[in-house]
């Protein structure tokens, strides 16, 4: 590209264009105003989503990134604008979501003087970013932006933050942009050790009770086809983590369900019966392992993971393969023997029958008067032919939705995993809708989390985003209440909510909706929500003590999973 003299702000916007950016989430302010002024001339090339709060902007960018596979882009001003991004940045870091966050900063002569709206966002964000950098001269902008995109999207993805002083935005430079292809000392991916592949294949071929864990790394590396080929060749049952959901179709014959505290009975109970665990693109989170000292004591462990920091961090491996999941699985497929493990599969079927009788039928087809979260989720999944993008908040409804919503396609599940951020759903759903404009997006949210970012109804309305908001309202902080019921003698300490008229609030923003509290009206109400042209808010009044089971009590072994109170 021929060099030309432009301002730093123009260079930043042009750099985004070079990286193929089509959507930006943000909120303007004094320190980033020159960048917004430059953006004014690119309204046909890029869509800017003006959120109602910076937290809404960053969660929106997360939702966009998770469904599109492209990095989410966020703009915020200095001081409180930048600090309001921190929760979302931390969420993206632990959930491996690629983001490029651009924050404005006071002019470089004012740095360190406690100037108006100055904050050390670079210092604050070090623990929760993959990389951050403060630009103080315009000449730095093209190279730093190229590096930002390279770091955010390669290896294990994550958020980067670029802080740009106001004088760097106003200053001029000879602009030339080159995409980054390599950074000294940054090695996002290493060569696969063929000896480790051979060692892993030998364990797989010898195993009598192997179990595969499908993590989000499968989705990130686009290894959905490889994991399906691998399990169909070997006959190994596959369980998924919360963020691995949708990598494998729900109805695949080898899909045995969800791991974790509120996962399915079979994959949790039988983890401690397996003689081999193959973990791909997951990090052995405590919600998956339960009591680590009692975890998978009979099993050899194979861990395929791109981030060396995750290997042997929690669960010690017998064979570790430091690699991109797609490349590692391709090599494994060529080295494993065909098998079916029929007897081992029958053990999962026995567990499924127990869970179906004690939990699933009661959740999905209840006979008690009050509505359940499970039946609402089931109907919504059926009405969308199991082809929607599901976005959830955090809590009981999240676990129920992950258990009972069905999926045909990858990148269809958007939730806050590692950080467990309440308030995530509503802004993430608008990002998901922008990232997948031709798909139905269902936002399943509880009444607690909904009120944390309820102002983003304004963003949804202004941008005419046809998000279908399914508000599961039990007038409680439901997950905390469940723990209080089970482990604190029903001492419901500050978990009951006095809620507003949500439908009136929605209509105040220009969003249609209605409330349903009777089972005979539920099916038609969900159909009306889905059929509505534009965004819709359906409030579903849920029984107050509708709990989520199975459950692995905190500090217990996964073998101690309980099916009822």
């Amino acid at each position: 590209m021929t060099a030309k003299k432009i301002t730093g702000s123009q260079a930043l916007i042009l750099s985004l264009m070079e990286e193929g950016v089509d959507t930006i989430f943000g909120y303007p302010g004094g320190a980033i105003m020159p960048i917004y002024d430059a953006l004014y001339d690119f309204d046909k090339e890029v869509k800017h989503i003006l959120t109602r709060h910076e937290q809404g902007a960053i969660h929106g960018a997360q939702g966009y990134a998770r469904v599109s596979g492209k990095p989410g882009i966020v703009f915020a001003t200095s001081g409180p604008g930048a600090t309001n991004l921190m929760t979302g940045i931390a969420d993206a870091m632990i959930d491996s979501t690629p983001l490029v966050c651009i924050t404005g900063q006071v002019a470089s002569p004012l740095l360190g003087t406690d100037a108006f709206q100055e904050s050390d966002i670079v210092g604050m964000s070090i623990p929760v970013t993959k990389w951050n950098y403060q630009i103080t001269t315009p000449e730095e902008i093209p190279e730093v932006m190229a590096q930002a995109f390279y770091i955010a999207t390669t290896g294990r993805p994550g958020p980067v933050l670029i802080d740009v002083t106001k004088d760097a935005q106003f200053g001029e430079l000879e602009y030339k942009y080159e995409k980054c292809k390599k950074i000294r000392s940054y090695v996002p991916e290493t060569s696969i050790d063929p000896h480790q592949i051979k060692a892993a294949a030998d364990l797989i071929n010898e195993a009598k009770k192997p179990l595969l864990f499908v993590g989000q790394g499968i989705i990130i590396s686009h290894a959905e086809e490889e994991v399906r080929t691998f399990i169909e060749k070997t006959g190994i049952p596959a369980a998924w983590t919360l963020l691995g959901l949708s990598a494998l179709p729900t109805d695949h014959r080898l899909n045995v369900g969800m791991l974790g505290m509120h996962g399915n009975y079979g994959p949790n109970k039988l983890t401690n019966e397996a003689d081999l665990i193959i973990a791909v693109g997951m990090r052995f989170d405590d919600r998956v392992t339960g009591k680590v000292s009692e975890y998978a004591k009979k099993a050899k462990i194979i861990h395929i993971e791109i981030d060396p920091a995750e290997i042997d961090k929690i669960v010690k491996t017998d064979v570790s393969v430091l690699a991109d999941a797609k490349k590692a699985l391709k090599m494994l497929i060529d080295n494993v023997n065909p098998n079916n493990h029929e007897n081992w599969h029958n053990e999962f079927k026995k567990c499924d029958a127990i869970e179906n009788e004690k939990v699933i039928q009661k959740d999905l087809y209840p006979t008690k008067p009050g509505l359940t979260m499970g039946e609402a989720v089931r109907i919504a999944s059926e009405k969308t032919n199991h082809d929607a993008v599901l976005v959830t908040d955090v809590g009981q409804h999240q676990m129920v939705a992950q258990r009972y919503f069905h999926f045909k396609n990858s990148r269809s599940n958007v939730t806050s995993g590692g950080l467990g951020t309440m308030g995530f759903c509503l802004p993430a759903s608008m990002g998901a809708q922008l990232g997948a404009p031709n798909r139905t997006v269902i936002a399943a949210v509880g009444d607690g989390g909904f009120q944390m970012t309820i102002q983003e109804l304004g963003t949804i309305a202004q941008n005419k985003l046809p998000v279908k908001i399914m508000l599961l309202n039990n007038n409680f902080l439901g997950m905390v209440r469940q723990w209080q019921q089970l482990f604190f003698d029903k001492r419901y300490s500050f978990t009951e909510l006095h809620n507003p008229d949500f439908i009136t609030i929605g209509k105040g923003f220009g969003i249609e909706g209605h409330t349903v509290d009777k089972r005979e009206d539920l099916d038609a109400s969900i159909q009306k929500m889905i059929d509505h042209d534009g965004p819709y808010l359906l409030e579903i009044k849920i029984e107050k003590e509708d709990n989520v089971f199975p459950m692995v009590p905190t500090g217990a072994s996964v073998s101690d999973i309980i099916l009822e109170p």
Side-chain angles (χ1 to χ4, degrees):
M1 186 174 181
T2 304
K4 56 182 177 179
K5 204 162 191 177
I6 58 174
T7 67
S9 296
Q10 290 171 321
L12 190 142
I13 300 300
L14 287 174
S15 299
L16 295 176
M17 300 299 101
E18 291 281 352
E19 295 290 347
V21 170
D22 57 15
T23 305
I24 297 169
F25 300 83
Y27 202 99
I32 200 170
M33 207 173 294
I35 290 174
Y36 268 92
D37 184 67
L39 181 62
Y40 188 84
D41 295 325
F42 290 89
D43 64 328
K44 291 183 172 59
E45 290 85 359
V46 63
K47 178 187 286 289
H48 178 274
I49 304 300
L50 174 62
T51 59
R52 299 305 184 262
H53 192 284
E54 290 87 357
Q55 186 176 351
I58 196 149
H59 291 329
Q62 287 177 271
Y64 176 88
R66 293 272 284 276
V67 300
S68 70
K70 300 191 292 186
I73 313 299
V74 185
F75 284 178
T77 195
S78 63
T83 59
N84 281 342
L85 298 179
M86 291 290 284
T87 295
I89 293 173
D91 192 288
M93 184 68 176
I94 200 166
D95 282 355
S96 306
T97 305
L99 300 178
V100 176
C101 306
I102 311 297
T103 54
Q105 184 57 276
V106 300
S108 53
L110 296 176
L111 291 172
T113 69
D114 293 330
F116 178 68
Q117 290 194 334
E118 181 194 0
S119 65
D120 181 11
I121 193 62
V122 171
M124 284 188 228
S125 63
I126 285 172
V128 292
T129 50
K130 193 175 176 186
W131 181 62
N132 65 16
Y133 188 88
Q134 187 174 73
I135 293 175
T136 58
T137 62
E139 291 81 10
E140 298 174 276
I141 288 173
E143 182 179 4
V144 171
M145 290 299 296
Q147 290 178 348
F149 276 86
Y150 180 67
I151 292 170
T153 58
T154 54
R156 180 179 178 176
V160 301
L161 183 142
I162 307 302
D163 194 43
V164 191
T165 62
K166 204 165 184 180
D167 49 329
Q169 298 174 45
F170 276 125
E172 293 188 336
L173 70 154
E174 296 286 340
Y175 178 75
K176 184 178 181 182
Y177 194 82
E178 293 182 10
K179 288 191 177 185
C180 181
K181 297 180 180 177
K182 185 178 181 181
I183 299 174
R184 191 176 68 176
S185 80
Y186 170 61
V187 183
E189 188 180 336
T190 59
S191 299
I192 300 176
D193 183 347
H195 295 98
Q196 294 299 91
I197 293 290
K198 177 65 166 58
D202 288 345
L203 288 180
I204 292 166
N205 291 334
E206 294 165 5
K208 303 301 181 186
K209 294 183 175 182
L211 181 56
L212 179 77
F213 291 171
V214 176
Q216 190 188 197
I218 295 292
I219 297 170
I220 292 169
S221 66
H222 305 283
E224 295 90 346
E225 183 179 341
E226 284 75 16
V227 78
R228 195 182 309 194
T229 300
F230 175 79
I231 61 174
E232 288 173 355
K233 181 176 182 179
T234 61
I236 295 176
W240 35 269
T241 67
L242 186 68
L243 297 184
L245 178 57
S246 84
L248 195 65
T250 306
D251 62 358
H252 192 284
R253 62 184 176 83
L254 297 173
N255 185 342
V256 295
M258 182 168 74
L259 298 160
M261 180 174 280
H262 292 287
N264 292 104
Y265 187 59
N268 277 295
K269 191 83 173 172
L270 296 178
T271 288
N272 283 354
E273 299 300 321
D275 62 5
L276 177 67
I277 287 174
I278 309 133
V280 186
M282 55 87 71
R283 58 187 183 84
F284 289 107
D285 177 81
D286 62 287
R287 289 295 172 103
V288 165
T289 65
K291 188 176 182 181
V292 177
S293 62
E294 300 296 325
Y295 183 73
K297 302 293 286 184
K298 298 179 182 179
K300 301 279 188 182
I301 307 291
I302 298 169
H303 196 179
I304 299 172
E305 171 60 48
I306 200 166
D307 184 355
E310 296 296 346
I311 292 177
D312 292 328
K313 185 174 83 172
I314 296 170
V315 174
K316 298 301 179 184
T317 60
D318 293 277
V319 175
S320 60
V321 181
L322 186 61
D324 171 83
K326 187 181 185 79
K327 294 175 183 177
L329 285 170
K330 278 185 174 180
M331 293 176 70
L332 267 182
I333 289 165
D334 294 334
N335 286 273
V336 293
N337 298 330
N339 208 327
N340 59 38
H341 295 290
E342 184 177 353
N343 292 335
W344 178 226
H345 277 284
N346 288 335
E347 295 189 39
F348 284 92
K349 291 175 182 176
K350 291 175 185 176
C351 289
D352 289 346
I354 294 169
E355 183 179 355
N356 188 59
E357 178 187 353
K358 289 185 175 291
V359 179
I360 295 173
Q361 288 300 310
K362 295 176 183 178
D363 281 349
L364 300 188
Y365 304 98
T367 56
K368 56 188 177 183
L371 295 176
T372 68
M373 294 174 282
E375 62 183 318
V377 169
R378 171 185 61 80
I379 293 169
S381 185
E382 291 171 353
K383 295 289 186 185
T384 54
N385 197 27
H386 312 305
D387 197 31
V389 174
L390 172 70
V391 187
T392 66
D393 212 82
V394 171
Q396 285 182 313
H397 74 277
Q398 176 192 31
M399 296 294 101
V400 170
Q402 310 298 317
R403 284 173 53 80
Y404 297 132
F405 211 88
H406 287 198
F407 299 94
K408 293 179 179 178
N409 300 304
S410 187
R411 295 192 179 274
S412 296
N413 173 53
V414 180
T415 196
S416 172
L419 199 64
T421 305
M422 289 181 68
F424 174 87
C425 176
L426 194 61
S429 69
M430 64 193 189
Q433 189 72 77
L434 287 157
N438 297 320
R439 298 187 66 187
T440 299
V441 173
I442 303 286
V445 63
D447 46 314
F450 185 55
Q451 292 179 82
M452 288 191 171
T453 49
I454 195 170
Q455 69 276 359
E456 298 308 330
L457 289 173
T459 310
I460 290 171
Q462 181 172 345
N463 291 279
K464 299 180 175 59
L465 301 174
V467 176
K468 312 305 178 186
I469 306 162
M470 191 166 72
L471 172 59
L472 301 172
N473 181 7
N474 57 11
N475 289 99
F476 266 108
L477 300 177
M479 187 62 85
V480 183
R481 187 214 53 75
Q482 178 170 333
W483 281 53
Q484 289 173 336
Q485 177 186 345
L486 298 177
F487 307 118
F488 292 88
D489 298 323
K490 293 191 176 182
R491 289 162 58 88
Y492 296 147
S493 179
F494 303 103
T495 48
E496 188 165 9
L497 295 169
H498 180 73
N499 286 328
D501 183 338
F502 290 116
I503 302 305
T504 296
I505 290 173
K507 288 181 178 178
F509 283 105
I511 295 176
E512 289 298 314
H514 75 279
T515 299
V516 60
D517 57 6
K518 294 183 176 60
R519 181 160 292 120
E520 59 265 29
D521 300 328
L522 183 59
D523 188 286
S525 292
I526 292 175
Q527 187 68 61
K528 182 177 181 180
M529 173 188 73
I530 292 167
D531 290 343
H532 183 76
D533 183 17
Y536 198 87
L537 173 59
L538 175 63
E539 179 188 22
I540 304 173
K541 294 289 187 73
I542 299 298
E543 183 180 316
K544 285 192 174 185
E545 293 193 352
D546 181 21
N547 288 332
V548 188
F549 288 99
M551 181 178 185
V552 179
T554 183
S557 164
V558 290
S559 296
D560 298 326
I561 187 170
I562 57 177
L563 293 166
E564 51 196 3

